[in-house]
């Protein structure tokens, strides 16, 4: 099979947005008449994945040795990542693993030695190109395959600045890509300023490549109250609890918390541990959405929801909020990101979804054409 495409992205961290963007990208690639395979770099039972893991660790040790000041930040970032995973209990983990097993194909063979069997490898969406870890990430920059097979689709840096200790390596890694697209506008500047890749473009997150009717085909709807607010927070919602309660009382709505480890239910609130399919359905039928998540916002937009995007209480880098700001700017929605209760309580708005859908249609066409051209020029 010479039409195989490998996808390198986050998929095993029990995050609804990460899994949904990976699934959407794989289906888009399939529709372009290629066979998508999710690269299972996290499966350390396979010797070639252990080989890649050693390479990642070696790069980090070398850079850390040369720049010891990064040790504290590196350990904090690692601790936060592990904490986020542990916040998902066994029930939720099993639901994610069931979805991944059912919806994705994984290569059985050593994709490093047999990269000739793949037309290309795509590092796709999410914050795969994080710049703070020393040495960058060997796998997410596709260092294991031939240069002419390296494509990025909607890659995100998750920051606005490039640490000096990673600048030279970043330039080398970017220059050796066949073609590059990024998810945020800040990513355009980072690539242009740190490489010779001047044709880099901004494209949509894979979740937004698909319309509501497509997502409705895979969603599931659990038994919930007929009218409700859905709260989906990946950070503490403490600054927004007052307004959430106020909106619920005003509109006679129940409150549904999607379990992430940060939810703060009281009284008759419902905490729900949805499958990936149910997560989509819960947002689809919500009367109002409060979220600090990019993908929570994206699904709200897809389903034409009335929503509030809340600024997340980050424990590490607040620069990650650029991914939300970038999409809001792209859709001319800059005024609906809020920091505190006081910003929301007296604020009312009605989104012009006809205008938003027109912009999304334009960007979908552009993004799909980029991906089609990137794959066709490699064949």
């Amino acid at each position: 099979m010479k039409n195989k495409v490998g996808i390198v992205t986050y998929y095993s961290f029990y995050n609804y947005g990460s899994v949904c963007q990976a699934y959407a990208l794989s289906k888009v690639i399939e529709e372009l008449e290629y066979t998508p395979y999710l690269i299972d770099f996290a499966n350390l039972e396979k010797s070639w994945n252990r080989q890649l893991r050693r390479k990642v660790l070696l790069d980090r040790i070398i850079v850390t040795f040369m720049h010891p000041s990064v040790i504290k930040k590196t350990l904090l970032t690692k601790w936060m990542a592990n904490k986020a995973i542990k916040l998902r209990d066994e029930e939720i983990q099993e639901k994610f693993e069931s979805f991944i097993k059912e919806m994705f194909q994984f290569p059985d063979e050593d994709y490093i030695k047999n990269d000739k069997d793949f037309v290309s490898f795509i590092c796709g969406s999410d914050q795969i190109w994080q710049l703070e870890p020393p040495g960058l990430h060997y796998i997410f920059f596709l260092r294991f395959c031939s240069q002419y097979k390296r494509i990025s689709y909607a890659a995100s840096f998750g920051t606005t600045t490039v640490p000096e200790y990673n600048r030279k390596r970043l330039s080398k890694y970017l220059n050796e890509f066949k073609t590059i697209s990024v998810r945020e506008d800040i990513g355009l500047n980072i690539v242009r300023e740190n490489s010779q890749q001047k044709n880099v473009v901004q494209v949509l997150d894979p979740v937004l490549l698909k319309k509501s009717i497509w997502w409705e085909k895979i969603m599931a709807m659990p038994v919930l109250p007929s009218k409700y607010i859905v709260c989906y927070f990946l950070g503490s919602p403490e600054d927004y609890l007052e307004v959430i309660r106020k909106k619920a009382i005003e509109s006679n709505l129940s409150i549904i918390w999607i379990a992430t480890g940060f939810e703060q239910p009281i009284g008759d609130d419902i905490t729900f541990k949805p499958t990936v399919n149910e997560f989509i359905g819960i947002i689809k039928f919500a009367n109002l959405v409060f979220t600090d998540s990019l993908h929570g916002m994206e699904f709200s937009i897809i389903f034409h929801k009335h929503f509030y995007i809340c600024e997340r209480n980050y424990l590490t880098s607040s620069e990650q909020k650029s991914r939300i700001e970038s999409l809001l700017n792209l859709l001319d929605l800059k005024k609906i990101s809020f920091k505190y209760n006081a910003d929301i309580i007296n604020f009312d708005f009605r989104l012009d979804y006809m205008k938003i859908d027109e912009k999304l249609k334009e960007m979908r066409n552009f993004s799909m054409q980029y991906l089609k051209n990137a794959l066709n020029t490699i064949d």
Side-chain angles (χ1 to χ4, degrees), residues 51-115:
Q51 175 185 337
L52 287 180
R53 177 64 63 87
R54 286 193 292 270
K55 178 61 179 174
V56 171
L57 292 175
L58 179 61
D59 284 350
R60 292 190 172 174
I61 290 171
I62 291 172
V63 175
T64 301
F65 179 78
M66 297 174 63
H67 302 273
S69 61
V70 307
I71 293 176
K72 182 178 180 180
K73 182 177 287 187
T74 300
L75 293 176
L76 177 60
T77 301
K78 184 67 175 177
W79 177 78
M80 285 302 302
N82 290 336
K83 180 181 179 182
I85 293 173
K86 291 177 180 178
L87 285 173
R88 311 297 195 266
D89 63 24
E90 288 186 7
E91 180 183 347
I92 295 177
Q93 291 182 26
E94 288 174 2
K95 290 177 178 179
F96 272 97
E97 288 165 4
S98 176
F99 181 88
I100 290 168
K101 184 177 180 180
E102 178 183 356
M103 297 297 192
F104 294 102
Q105 295 185 84
F106 294 91
D108 293 323
E109 75 276 19
D110 183 342
Y111 52 84
I112 303 172
K113 288 184 179 178
N114 300 315
D115 83 323

Side-chain angles (χ1 to χ4, degrees), residues 14-238:
Y14 311 118
N15 179 282
Y16 294 102
S18 295
V19 171
C20 286
Q21 64 83 19
Y23 179 67
L25 182 58
S26 69
K27 300 308 287 186
V28 166
I29 290 171
E30 194 173 88
E31 290 166 8
L32 293 175
E33 300 184 349
Y34 294 88
T35 305
Y37 283 85
L38 199 59
I39 299 301
D40 56 340
F41 61 88
N43 182 0
L44 296 182
E45 293 182 1
K46 297 181 177 180
S47 60
W48 50 89
N49 288 333
R50 294 197 298 272
Q51 175 185 337
L52 287 180
R53 177 64 63 87
R54 286 193 292 270
K55 178 61 179 174
V56 171
L57 292 175
L58 179 61
D59 284 350
R60 292 190 172 174
I61 290 171
I62 291 172
V63 175
T64 301
F65 179 78
M66 297 174 63
H67 302 273
S69 61
V70 307
I71 293 176
K72 182 178 180 180
K73 182 177 287 187
T74 300
L75 293 176
L76 177 60
T77 301
K78 184 67 175 177
W79 177 78
M80 285 302 302
N82 290 336
K83 180 181 179 182
I85 293 173
K86 291 177 180 178
L87 285 173
R88 311 297 195 266
D89 63 24
E90 288 186 7
E91 180 183 347
I92 295 177
Q93 291 182 26
E94 288 174 2
K95 290 177 178 179
F96 272 97
E97 288 165 4
S98 176
F99 181 88
I100 290 168
K101 184 177 180 180
E102 178 183 356
M103 297 297 192
F104 294 102
Q105 295 185 84
F106 294 91
D108 293 323
E109 75 276 19
D110 183 342
Y111 52 84
I112 303 172
K113 288 184 179 178
N114 300 315
D115 83 323
K116 62 182 181 298
D117 294 338
F118 287 79
V119 172
S120 70
F121 291 84
I122 297 177
C123 48
S125 198
D126 236 331
Q127 297 178 76
I128 56 170
W129 284 355
Q130 294 182 32
L131 298 178
E132 290 186 350
L136 302 178
H137 202 296
Y138 188 87
I139 300 171
F140 288 130
F141 282 90
L142 304 181
R143 305 299 297 170
F144 58 85
C145 69
S146 304
Q147 292 184 32
Y148 74 93
K149 294 187 178 183
R150 297 175 192 167
I151 297 173
S152 82
Y153 181 82
S156 175
F157 290 98
T159 184
T160 59
T161 56
V162 182
E164 189 59 38
Y165 54 82
N166 277 333
R167 192 175 295 276
K168 185 176 180 180
R169 189 179 294 246
L170 177 65
S171 178
K172 173 179 172 59
Y173 285 8
L174 293 176
N175 282 331
E176 293 178 357
F177 264 78
K178 170 74 175 179
T179 182
I180 293 178
S181 67
V182 294
R183 192 174 65 183
E184 288 88 36
D185 47 11
I186 190 64
L188 294 173
N189 297 330
I190 291 175
V191 174
R192 289 168 181 163
E193 293 172 3
N194 292 275
S195 75
Q196 297 174 4
Q197 298 273 10
K198 305 309 177 187
N199 294 324
V200 57
V201 295
Q202 182 181 8
V203 294
L204 288 178
D205 182 276
V207 165
L208 291 173
L209 291 179
K210 291 301 183 181
K211 299 179 182 179
S212 59
I213 192 171
W214 187 87
W215 286 108
E216 287 165 3
K217 291 178 181 178
I218 70 163
M219 75 179 185
M221 190 57 198
V223 177
L224 292 174
S226 58
K227 296 173 63 179
Y228 61 90
I229 293 173
V230 62
C231 300
Y232 177 50
F233 284 85
L234 300 179
S236 172
E238 185 175 355

